Amino acid sequence: MHPMTSADVFKLLESEGLPQSLKASVTQLFEAIRQGHTALQLSNEEADLWAQTLSASEIATLFAVNRGALQIRQHFAQESRVAGALKKRSSRPALKITIDPKQLMPHADASQQDAIVGAASQRLSIVTGGPGTGKTTTAAAIIAAKRTLFQRLPRVALVAPTGKAAVRLTESFHAAISKMPSTELEPVVATTIHRQLKELNSADIVLIDEASMVSLDLFDRLLKSLGQDTHLILMGDPNQLASVEAGSILKVITESNTFSHHCFELTQRHRIEGHKALAQLEDLCLSGDPQRFIQGLKDSGMFWENNQRVDRLQGALIDGYRQYFKGLQRAQISSSPDFQCLTAISEGVGGRRMINHLAQVETQRLGLNGFGERLLVTENQPGIGVFNGDIGIVIDSYDSPNPRVQFDNLDQPLRKNQLGSVESAWAISIHRSQGSEYQSVFICLPEPSSSQSRFKPSREHVYTALTRAKESIQLFATESMIDRAISQTTCRVTCLDHFLNAS
């Protein structure tokens, strides 16, 4: 959130004798930013008043009006820069490359072959696709194809918005390279975008995974850090939830005609073949027909608790973690269980805090005393190598004065008192789950505990949660909540599309 507050703006309006009627749209804009928008659409009368005010006041350093939409000046400048940088990169002529994609990826489907050939010749490429469509494998083949454009081995940077996504990207990329019949590419370790931001200017090729999660602010900083000749590959699923912070970068880019020759969609699922019910639920979710989705859920035979019964919630939660708990009782720790609970809200029945409490009660009953607890980091601590969204495992009992916590991306465990803000991760938010995948996922989409709740269920919530599962899902949601969620798609108001389409 921008550090400027509405109270600061109100004081400025009063001190400069500006129209007090502007207060309403300022309040609405700041609320819109909290919800992820970067602009507020104004009425014609409001737009005219703002235009007059900005032309004759110092407040123009704080706000801008763009095609009838109000923005804070920071977002106006960022979207303008992002659009300019992307268009400049995409305007470079395509590079001449001749390669048979099947030499790099023998089992590539038609959409993957098109992506390998097309993206390899562009300095800007966007590779999209749903779960199991082979995005990382295809991206690795694209990078291998780009190798032929360099006289030396190119410097490749792999980045993702979260530590968990970076770990997955590293594993998938290495696996893809190892299966290539012949390639000179070396294994590369992916990190979070934040960790490599200052080093990207030396990279020849930069691949951003889970690009739907990247906020406007972070994407702006990333683009400014790239060299002018760097090849940029964006990869992700635009149907997932957008970033927690303001912006909707991937969705806007893929919907813009400006980049129609730079976007490559992978269409054939590979990962969940044999799990047709899950694939069907994902398709039914995207169709936007809640009744067909509900019927598909019933036909799948998967667990669905639609009456918000806590005993059923507790039973499904404990049963899901049962194998993980049994391993802990044998002093065996899995870096990541095959099961994860995802929830859309923090408070109330089916909320994150309640579910984490239920899991902690069970671990105490089993005598684990903190051993094996999953901890979510909620603030960046670059000095020790952990970032907001990373999940660690407690590998000592809480009887220890300072138990150790192991993270996938760190060779050595950290001490718990080194970590700043953390919380239990038996249940995490659907937003936090992006970039992760599990064999089975328990999705909680409960009714908010208060009528004052700002939570608005959406199709993106359901789809993002469904696509974290590789095999099966369980669902805790009323039929009316599912109906509301599937019927409503999130549309963030931004001006990036205007900047992209401007000549």
Side-chain angles (χ1 to χ4, degrees):
M1 178 63 188
H2 191 270
M4 176 176 57
T5 67
S6 54
D8 296 330
V9 179
F10 294 164
K11 289 179 183 178
L12 183 61
L13 291 175
E14 292 173 4
S15 67
E16 295 204 5
L18 299 174
Q20 296 301 294
S21 57
L22 300 177
K23 285 185 177 181
S25 50
V26 169
T27 300
Q28 291 168 10
L29 174 61
F30 277 59
E31 176 58 29
I33 293 172
R34 277 190 286 271
Q35 295 178 11
H37 306 281
T38 64
L40 174 71
Q41 196 63 48
L42 301 172
S43 67
N44 291 336
E45 294 76 15
E46 289 172 326
D48 289 342
L49 179 58
W50 268 103
Q52 294 169 13
T53 303
L54 294 174
S55 67
S57 167
E58 291 292 323
I59 204 170
T61 62
L62 301 178
F63 295 95
V65 172
N66 185 5
R67 300 197 181 188
L70 180 66
Q71 293 189 285
I72 60 173
R73 180 61 67 172
Q74 174 184 322
H75 286 160
F76 179 91
Q78 287 174 330
E79 290 186 334
S80 176
R81 281 195 300 267
V82 165
L86 290 176
K87 288 197 290 186
K88 183 177 181 180
R89 201 170 290 274
S90 67
S91 66
R92 305 277 292 275
L95 301 163
K96 292 183 179 179
I97 188 167
T98 303
I99 195 164
D100 179 359
K102 292 239 173 184
Q103 289 181 347
L104 300 170
M105 197 173 167
H107 302 292
D109 62 47
S111 65
Q112 290 170 334
Q113 292 179 55
D114 289 344
I116 294 168
V117 174
S121 64
Q122 303 285 357
R123 285 184 174 83
L124 171 67
S125 52
I126 303 97
V127 180
T128 64
T133 53
K135 292 188 292 294
T136 307
T137 305
T138 305
I142 292 169
I143 293 174
K146 284 180 178 291
R147 165 69 184 93
T148 62
L149 300 170
F150 295 86
Q151 294 182 347
R152 53 171 173 75
L153 199 62
R155 293 182 293 272
V156 177
L158 307 179
V159 294
T162 68
K164 194 70 175 179
V167 170
R168 273 191 57 210
L169 176 58
T170 300
E171 294 171 348
S172 300
F173 192 80
H174 289 186
I177 290 175
S178 69
K179 293 176 183 176
M180 287 183 188
S182 61
T183 179
E184 296 179 21
L185 286 181
E186 297 179 350
V188 182
V189 176
T191 72
T192 61
I193 297 172
H194 288 95
R195 290 185 70 180
Q196 285 198 69
L197 204 53
K198 295 180 180 179
E199 304 164 9
L200 294 180
N201 62 345
S202 64
D204 298 304
I205 303 170
V206 174
L207 168 66
I208 307 173
D209 194 15
E210 300 291 349
S212 63
M213 299 170 62
V214 181
S215 68
L216 170 62
D217 177 70
L218 184 56
F219 194 58
D220 178 43
R221 286 190 284 154
L222 183 146
L223 289 177
K224 285 193 288 188
S225 71
L226 298 181
Q228 63 178 3
D229 292 323
T230 302
H231 293 232
L232 177 62
I233 305 169
L234 304 180
M235 189 166 70
D237 185 347
N239 292 312
Q240 287 186 26
L241 285 164
S243 59
V244 175
E245 297 176 2
S248 186
I249 297 294
L250 186 64
K251 196 172 186 67
V252 174
I253 289 174
T254 55
E255 291 177 350
S256 173
N257 291 331
T258 305
F259 305 114
S260 58
H261 297 299
H262 299 261
C263 291
F264 305 92
E265 182 182 8
L266 308 184
T267 56
Q268 185 175 329
R269 287 188 181 95
H270 300 275
R271 189 181 72 198
I272 54 177
E273 288 181 356
H275 304 286
K276 301 296 185 185
L278 182 56
Q280 183 182 41
L281 287 177
E282 293 167 359
D283 292 340
L284 290 172
C285 175
L286 291 179
S287 75
D289 186 335
Q291 293 310 309
R292 288 183 61 209
F293 178 86
I294 289 169
Q295 187 58 52
L297 184 62
K298 292 176 179 177
D299 293 342
S300 73
M302 295 181 185
F303 175 92
W304 174 27
E305 170 49 40
N306 62 358
N307 293 314
Q308 297 221 129
R309 283 176 49 185
V310 176
D311 60 328
R312 294 260 290 168
L313 166 64
Q314 184 176 21
L317 176 73
I318 294 172
D319 188 57
Y321 278 119
R322 191 175 306 282
Q323 291 304 313
Y324 182 71
F325 290 157
K326 284 183 176 179
L328 295 177
Q329 287 179 298
R330 297 191 298 269
Q332 298 173 350
I333 292 185
S334 169
S335 61
S336 181
D338 290 335
F339 171 87
Q340 178 65 54
C341 182
L342 311 177
T343 182
I345 61 176
S346 58
E347 305 293 345
V349 175
R352 192 175 71 254
R353 289 187 174 86
M354 175 186 182
I355 296 170
N356 279 323
H357 173 71
L358 292 174
Q360 287 171 332
V361 168
E362 177 65 9
T363 60
Q364 289 299 317
R365 187 188 73 80
L366 296 172
L368 296 172
N369 195 20
F371 176 64
E373 182 176 10
R374 311 184 71 236
L375 292 179
L376 172 73
V377 176
T378 58
E379 65 178 28
N380 291 330
Q381 292 183 266
I384 58 174
V386 295
F387 294 84
N388 188 357
D390 288 350
I391 293 179
I393 309 294
V394 179
I395 58 175
D396 296 316
S397 163
Y398 283 161
D399 291 331
S400 169
N402 193 6
R404 295 168 298 161
V405 183
Q406 182 66 62
F407 291 86
D408 284 345
N409 59 320
L410 299 179
D411 294 331
Q412 298 296 321
L414 300 172
R415 294 291 178 176
K416 191 169 183 290
N417 68 358
Q418 291 180 269
L419 303 174
S421 182
V422 295
E423 60 184 52
S424 288
W426 302 113
I428 60 175
S429 70
I430 296 173
H431 258 294
R432 295 268 191 195
S433 72
Q434 292 182 95
S436 301
E437 63 179 18
Y438 309 90
Q439 297 300 114
S440 177
V441 168
F442 184 20
I443 304 167
C444 290
L445 200 69
E447 299 286 343
S449 57
S450 167
S451 60
Q452 305 301 313
S453 173
R454 292 180 176 178
F455 171 63
K456 295 180 180 178
S458 71
R459 192 179 308 161
E460 289 81 5
H461 277 103
V462 180
Y463 178 76
T464 300
L466 288 172
T467 54
R468 299 311 90 206
K470 293 195 289 185
E471 292 186 2
S472 65
I473 59 108
Q474 297 169 291
L475 186 61
F476 181 87
T478 63
E479 191 163 327
S480 64
M481 176 58 79
I482 294 173
D483 192 307
R484 277 176 281 161
I486 300 293
S487 301
Q488 179 172 294
T489 184
T490 301
C491 182
R492 288 190 171 178
V493 180
T494 82
C495 289
L496 179 59
D497 55 336
H498 296 320
F499 286 115
L500 289 175
N501 294 329
S503 57

